[in-house]
């Protein structure tokens, strides 16, 4: 029997040509393109098509794809109605998982479930990917208004994916610099090899369940604080610390209590996460435009990172993608409990690329276990226990 490795650390779960991580060097690439180049030159729409199709699109392919995303932004009245009936105290990730799972009922097209050969049809797979990526962003934005008791803001066809999200979320004309920063955040979060939520995609996809079910299960996995949910915890942690001078005491107390520092550490990277480096630069650039009006959370974050480097670098624990993203979202006026839902909006691209890759060479996931329970024994009737 093969060796049991907790958390499947270092165990390959699939073969994939979608993205790659060099954790020793701190390099991340999508389809061979370094993340820094995509963050500088690409858009979320283009990066999504790169992830789905495996190559950079031509101009006309990109225009067609962007139009298809726009055409699929509007949600059915029934979906809105269902959202209005959800408890407004629910966490946005619970809402998102619920609504995405329900899309399979509101929108026909669960061909996989009906036993047809749809799961082998590339047009079906591509169309479902467009529908899901297009719809998650408006769902997240609409929830902000619905939970506050207002009517959602309608989407606009003249705006890009990132711009339209900010428009629908805030109801204000998106600031061009913040919209570009959101676009880059979506690129940075779009894909990351076989992380926990993508593994959930593979397992679910391998049963040929519907893509809505596949993505709903991934949203659930992403919501946990050890994964995407850490971005909300980071901001709450920075708020709790309150000032850079208190960072050292806070970190030391948590470490003494064997508690993790949110936004630090990664299974794959033994360096600072390259996405955290890009996010930190984006904050620097944005703060420069605000003429010294620096977000106080940024100074606290840098102080926490410095203390963590002193205490945790020998374990290869450095800032991950969740450490700095929330500071940027705060600048956009986005509440902390929506951060992970924005992560999901972006990651839908990677999840669906993995869904497609899994279906192209599918075998149901069915690992084994090391049984640690009782040996076979005789049932004891209730009056004899
Ligand atoms: C998008 C994302 O999912 S990025 C990750 C987001 N999650 C977080 O930020 C939560 C905080 N981080 C963590 O809990 C972990 O680093 C994880 C879950 C990301 C990775 O977990 P693993 O790969 O299993 O790392 P593991 O727990 O084995 O850590 C190795 C060592 O570093 C320590 N360590 C890892 N992360 C941290 C942290 N954030 N704070 C303090 N110590 C840490 C562990 O205590 C362990 O120390 P030990 O060897 O003395 O026991
Ligand atoms: O790769 C991981 O384990 C977690 C992560 O950073 C991501 O999913 O973006």
């Amino acid at each position: 029997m093969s060796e049991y490795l907790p958390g499947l650390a270092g165990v390959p779960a699939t073969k994939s040509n979608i993205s790659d991580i060099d954790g020793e060097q701190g390099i991340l690439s999508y389809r061979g393109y370094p993340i820094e180049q995509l963050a500088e030159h690409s858009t979320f729409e283009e990066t999504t098509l790169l992830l789905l199709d495996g190559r950079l699109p031509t101009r006309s392919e990109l225009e067609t794809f962007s139009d298809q995303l726009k055409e699929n932004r509007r949600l059915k009245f029934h979906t809105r109605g269902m959202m209005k009936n959800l408890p407004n105290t629910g966490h946005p990730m619970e809402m998102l998982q619920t609504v995405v799972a329900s899309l399979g009922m509101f929108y026909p097209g669960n061909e996989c479930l009906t036993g047809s050969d749809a799961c082998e049809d590339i047009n079906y797979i591509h169309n479902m990917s467009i529908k899901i990526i297009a719809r998650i962003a408006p769902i997240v934005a609409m929830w902000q208004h619905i939970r506050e008791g207002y009517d959602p803001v309608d989407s606009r066809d003249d705006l890009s994916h990132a711009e339209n999200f900010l428009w629908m979320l805030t109801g204000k004309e998106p600031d061009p610099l913040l919209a570009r920063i959101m676009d880059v955040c979506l690129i940075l979060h779009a894909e990351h090899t076989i992380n926990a939520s993508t593994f959930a995609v593979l397992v679910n996809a391998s049963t040929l369940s519907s893509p809505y079910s596949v993505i709903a299960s991934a949203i659930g996995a992403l919501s946990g604080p050890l994964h995407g949910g850490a971005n909300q915890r980071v901001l709450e942690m920075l708020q709790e610390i309150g000032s850079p001078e208190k960072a050292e005491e806070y970190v030391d107390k948590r470490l003494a209590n064997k508690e993790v520092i949110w936004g630090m550490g990664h299974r794959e990277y033994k360096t600072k996460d390259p996405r955290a480096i890009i996010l930190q630069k984006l904050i620097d650039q944005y703060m420069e435009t605000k003429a010294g009006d620096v977000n106080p959370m940024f100074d606290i974050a840098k102080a926490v990172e410095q203390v963590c480097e002193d205490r945790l670098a020998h374990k290869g624990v450095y800032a991950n993608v969740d450490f700095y993203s929330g500071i940027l979202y705060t600048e956009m006026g986005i509440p902390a409990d929506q951060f992970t839902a924005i992560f999901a909006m972006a990651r839908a691209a990677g999840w669906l690329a993995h869904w497609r890759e899994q279906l192209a060479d599918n075998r149901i996931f069915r690992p084994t276990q090391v049984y640690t329970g009782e040996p076979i024994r005789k049932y004891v009737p209730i009056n004899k226990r």
Side-chain angles (χ1 to χ4, degrees):
M1 186 192 286
S2 8
E3 188 193 355
Y4 161 60
L5 295 169
L8 301 185
V11 178
T14 192
K15 286 183 176 175
S16 177
N17 54 30
I18 300 172
S19 65
D20 192 30
I21 296 169
D22 178 337
E24 298 297 327
Q25 307 280 330
I27 298 171
L28 168 64
S29 55
Y30 297 171
R31 302 285 191 187
Y33 297 102
I35 193 65
E36 292 77 9
Q37 291 181 24
L38 294 170
E40 189 173 346
H41 302 294
S42 190
T43 58
F44 176 69
E45 287 86 335
E46 184 185 65
T47 296
T48 298
L49 213 40
L50 169 70
L51 290 169
L52 295 177
D53 289 350
R55 60 177 176 80
L56 287 169
T58 63
R59 191 180 297 278
S60 81
E61 286 168 337
L62 181 57
E63 278 168 12
T64 304
F65 181 69
S66 303
D67 288 346
Q68 288 169 326
L69 285 179
K70 287 174 186 171
E71 281 160 23
N72 283 284
R73 272 176 191 165
R74 279 181 193 80
L75 290 157
K76 283 194 175 165
F77 180 73
H78 290 310
T79 310
R80 292 170 178 238
M82 190 189 80
M83 289 176 71
K84 285 182 181 166
N85 281 312
L86 294 174
N88 67 358
T89 47
H91 191 280
M93 287 297 276
E94 293 175 314
M95 175 284 300
L96 190 61
Q97 189 180 23
T98 305
V99 176
V100 169
S102 81
L103 291 180
M105 301 178 81
F106 289 123
Y107 292 86
N110 273 350
E111 282 87 348
C112 284
L113 283 182
T114 62
S116 75
D117 292 336
C119 284
E120 288 165 23
D121 177 352
I122 192 62
N123 290 326
Y124 165 76
I125 292 169
H126 190 70
N127 289 339
M128 292 307 287
S129 300
I130 290 170
K131 286 179 203 293
I132 293 174
I133 293 164
R135 286 173 188 154
I136 290 184
I139 292 169
V140 175
M142 282 165 56
W143 181 242
Q144 191 55 34
H145 302 278
I146 290 175
R147 71 173 171 175
E148 287 170 359
Y150 301 111
D151 280 335
V153 175
D154 285 334
S155 65
R156 274 173 45 190
D157 287 350
D158 59 321
L159 300 177
S160 71
H161 197 72
E163 288 167 343
N164 185 61
F165 172 67
L166 287 176
W167 158 251
M168 288 186 71
L169 187 84
T170 63
K172 293 186 200 133
E173 199 61 36
D175 170 85
L177 179 58
L178 286 176
R180 176 57 191 156
I181 290 174
M182 175 54 80
D183 200 31
V184 176
C185 288
L186 296 181
I187 293 170
L188 297 179
H189 287 83
E191 160 63 9
H192 210 243
T193 78
I194 308 304
N195 53 82
S197 55
T198 302
F199 188 40
V201 164
L202 300 189
V203 173
N204 208 313
S206 79
T207 72
L208 304 188
S209 72
S210 91
Y212 295 117
S213 152
V214 168
I215 300 306
S217 71
I219 292 168
L222 186 72
S223 68
L226 295 187
H227 192 12
N231 57 9
Q232 175 182 347
R233 300 289 177 115
V234 170
L235 195 84
E236 289 164 356
M237 173 181 81
L238 300 178
Q239 285 165 339
E240 190 184 336
I241 295 172
S243 72
E245 301 74 48
K246 295 196 180 136
E248 186 168 15
E249 186 192 342
Y250 180 92
V251 169
D252 284 340
K253 196 167 161 200
R254 274 189 80 86
L255 294 182
N257 290 336
K258 305 251 173 273
E259 292 169 314
V260 292
I261 310 302
W262 301 112
M264 291 284 154
H266 202 281
R267 175 68 61 78
E268 293 294 301
Y269 294 114
K270 297 303 155 222
T271 60
K272 185 164 172 174
D273 186 327
R275 299 166 297 175
I277 296 172
I278 298 172
L279 288 166
Q280 197 174 352
K281 283 189 190 146
L282 284 176
I283 304 177
D284 271 329
Q285 284 164 10
Y286 182 67
M287 294 301 165
E288 270 174 34
T289 67
K290 291 184 65 188
D293 180 14
V294 173
N295 184 323
M297 295 304 133
F298 192 32
D299 284 336
I300 303 171
K302 284 191 285 190
V304 170
E305 191 183 9
Q306 184 61 60
V307 181
C308 286
E309 206 163 318
D310 290 346
R311 310 294 193 267
L312 297 170
H314 69 283
K315 295 186 184 182
V317 172
Y318 295 94
N320 62 49
V321 69
D322 288 329
F323 194 70
Y324 284 111
S325 57
I327 296 175
L328 286 165
Y329 299 147
T330 307
E331 288 295 322
M332 298 170 194
I334 302 174
D337 68 350
Q338 287 272 32
F339 295 173
T340 318
I342 296 173
F343 193 151
M345 264 165 60
R347 184 55 59 85
W351 289 333
L352 287 155
H354 283 275
W355 175 57
R356 173 163 161 177
E357 194 174 62
Q358 180 64 33
L359 293 183
D361 187 17
N362 191 47
R363 189 172 185 200
I364 191 166
F365 273 88
R366 204 323 180 175
T368 186
Q369 64 168 10
V370 178
Y371 179 61
T372 58
E374 300 289 341
I376 295 291
R377 52 187 167 158
K378 202 162 182 299
Y379 178 81
V380 182
I382 198 158
N383 57 350
K384 297 229 169 113
R385 286 176 217 161

